[in-house]
Amino acid sequence: MGMSVTISAATDLDAEQILKLQYLCYQGEAELYGDYSIAPLTQTLAELRAELGAGCVLVARLGDEVVGSVRGTAGPGGTAVISGMIVHPRMQRHGLGGRLLAAVEARLAAEGATRYRLATGHRNEGNLRLYRKWGYVQVASEQVTRKLTLVTMEKEPRDRGAESAPGAAGAALAASR
C-alpha cells in the first residue's frame, strides 16, 4: 500500500531537506534564464532557517522525505506574499503544487490575508499555468535582467471563506490537520 503526501508546518529540522530540494528544483529555472546565481541557488542554510522563523513555511512529506515546500508572509493591508514553492520533479503534475498553494493560502487567510501575491519568471510556463488555474491574474511585470522578466500575479478569493479553485477547500482542510 502506498504512502500519501501530508502537508504541515516546517520546522528547523526540515531546513536542510528544503534547501537541498530547492537547489534541485531551481536548476531548470536557472537553465531557462542562463543564470545560476539566482537567489534560490545561492541561499544559505542560515538564511533559510531565518525564513522558517519569520513567516509561514509549509512542507509536503512523503513519509520522512520533504517532497515540496512553499513560503508565505502576511503583509500590510491584507496582502500576503507567497514565494519559494517547490515540488520534487518526480512528484510534479500530480496536484501537489495546487495542494501546497491552497494550504498556504488557508494559513495566510487565518492571519488576515484577503489577497495573495506571487511572482514567477516569464518563461516558466508550468508555473504560469498552475497559478492561472488557481485564480491568479497578472498585475505587473518587471524586467530584472536582459533575459528575465518577473511576472507578478495576484488573487482575491471570491468568497473569503473558500478558495476559488476546485478542491481547494478540502486540500486546505487536510493541510490544517
Side-chain angles (χ1 to χ4, degrees):
M1 183 174 222
M3 290 186 281
S4 63
V5 174
T6 60
I7 297 175
S8 60
T11 69
D12 192 57
L13 298 175
D14 297 317
E16 286 185 44
Q17 282 193 69
I18 294 169
L19 193 62
K20 287 177 184 176
L21 181 60
Q22 176 176 293
Y23 189 81
L24 173 68
C25 291
Y26 276 94
Q27 294 297 314
E29 192 85 6
E31 185 176 339
L32 267 178
Y33 302 104
D35 183 359
Y36 288 84
S37 66
I38 59 176
L41 296 181
T42 60
Q43 185 175 34
T44 67
L45 187 56
E47 291 167 340
L48 178 60
R49 283 196 166 118
E51 280 188 45
L52 287 172
C56 172
V57 181
L58 301 178
V59 291
R61 296 181 207 287
L62 182 61
D64 292 333
E65 180 187 7
V66 172
V67 294
S69 183
V70 65
R71 302 166 203 177
T73 307
T79 299
V81 176
I82 297 172
S83 63
M85 188 159 78
I86 51 176
V87 174
H88 194 288
R90 78 174 190 275
M91 301 295 292
Q92 292 176 4
R93 310 227 16 107
H94 296 285
L96 185 52
R99 287 182 58 200
L100 282 165
L101 201 51
V104 77
E105 287 175 1
R107 296 280 174 104
L108 294 168
E111 295 179 27
T114 56
R115 176 183 302 149
Y116 309 99
R117 178 178 297 149
L118 49 78
T120 191
H122 72 288
R123 292 183 186 163
N124 195 323
E125 288 300 324
N127 283 357
L128 291 166
R129 187 174 38 254
L130 173 69
Y131 299 144
R132 285 184 192 115
K133 177 181 174 180
W134 282 84
Y136 286 82
V137 295
Q138 181 175 337
V139 295
S141 64
E142 175 189 0
Q143 188 166 355
V144 178
T145 67
R146 189 174 55 81
K147 294 181 179 181
L148 170 64
T149 298
L150 277 181
V151 176
T152 301
M153 303 178 84
E154 287 188 359
K155 173 183 174 179
E156 289 187 56
R158 292 180 200 145
D159 172 359
R160 303 257 161 116
E163 302 306 319
S164 60
L173 178 62
S176 66
R177 292 184 184 149

